[in-house]
Amino acid sequence: MKNLEEVIALLPDLHRDDLERWIRNALVEAAEEAGTSKLNEIQFARVRLICTLRYDMDVEEETLPVVLDLLDQLHDTRARLQMLSQAVLAQDEEVKAAVLQVVTEVRRRRQN
C-alpha cells in the first residue's frame, strides 16, 4: 500500500489535485488506514493508467469515466474468457473436439 505522497513521488507528472479529484470521483479507490488514504497495487496501476490517458494522450477529464469503464469491461471479459478456456481444457478430448467444432462453425457463419 502506498500513501498519496508516495504515489505522487513515484509519478512526477501527477498533480496532487488531480489525484484527489480522481479519488473523490471514484475513478480510483483509496483505502483509509490510520487516517491516511492509501492505494493498493491495482489502484496504483490505475493511477498510472489515468496519468497516461490524461497527460500523455490528452483524454479529457470528462471522458475518463467512459474510457475507464470500457477498459474495466474489457479486463472483465478477458478474465471470463480465460476461465472459460480453462474449463474447456479440463474436459475430455471428445468434449474439447465438440467445442472446437461449434466455434469453427460459428466463425464460418460470421465470415459469410
Side-chain angles (χ1 to χ4, degrees):
M1 299 277 278
K2 294 173 178 48
N3 65 37
L4 300 189
E5 287 72 28
E6 291 170 318
V7 171
I8 292 166
L10 290 168
L11 302 171
D13 293 337
L14 178 59
H15 306 283
R16 184 180 188 86
D17 293 347
D18 289 342
L19 179 57
E20 290 174 349
R21 185 175 54 259
W22 298 339
I23 292 170
R24 273 194 317 274
N25 292 338
L27 298 179
V28 177
E29 294 177 16
E32 289 295 319
E33 192 174 289
T36 303
S37 294
K38 295 196 173 194
L39 302 180
N40 64 25
E41 289 304 313
I42 292 172
Q43 294 304 309
F44 178 64
R46 191 171 179 90
V47 169
R48 286 194 324 257
L49 171 63
I50 294 171
C51 286
T52 299
L53 292 168
R54 187 73 187 99
Y55 304 142
D56 298 341
M57 299 175 75
D58 293 322
V59 172
E60 295 294 327
E61 186 88 21
E62 299 78 28
T63 308
L64 285 175
V66 174
V67 172
L68 291 171
D69 183 56
L70 290 170
L71 287 170
D72 289 342
Q73 289 179 43
L74 183 61
H75 285 285
D76 184 54
T77 300
R78 183 173 181 254
R80 289 174 185 228
L81 182 57
Q82 285 178 332
M83 186 172 37
L84 179 61
S85 295
Q86 290 173 353
V88 169
L89 289 173
Q91 302 305 308
D92 61 40
E93 293 304 317
E94 185 178 316
V95 173
K96 286 191 246 185
V99 170
L100 182 58
Q101 181 180 355
V102 171
V103 168
T104 302
E105 289 172 9
V106 169
R107 186 179 293 147
R108 276 192 210 133
R109 278 185 282 198
R110 286 187 177 176
Q111 290 175 348
N112 293 331

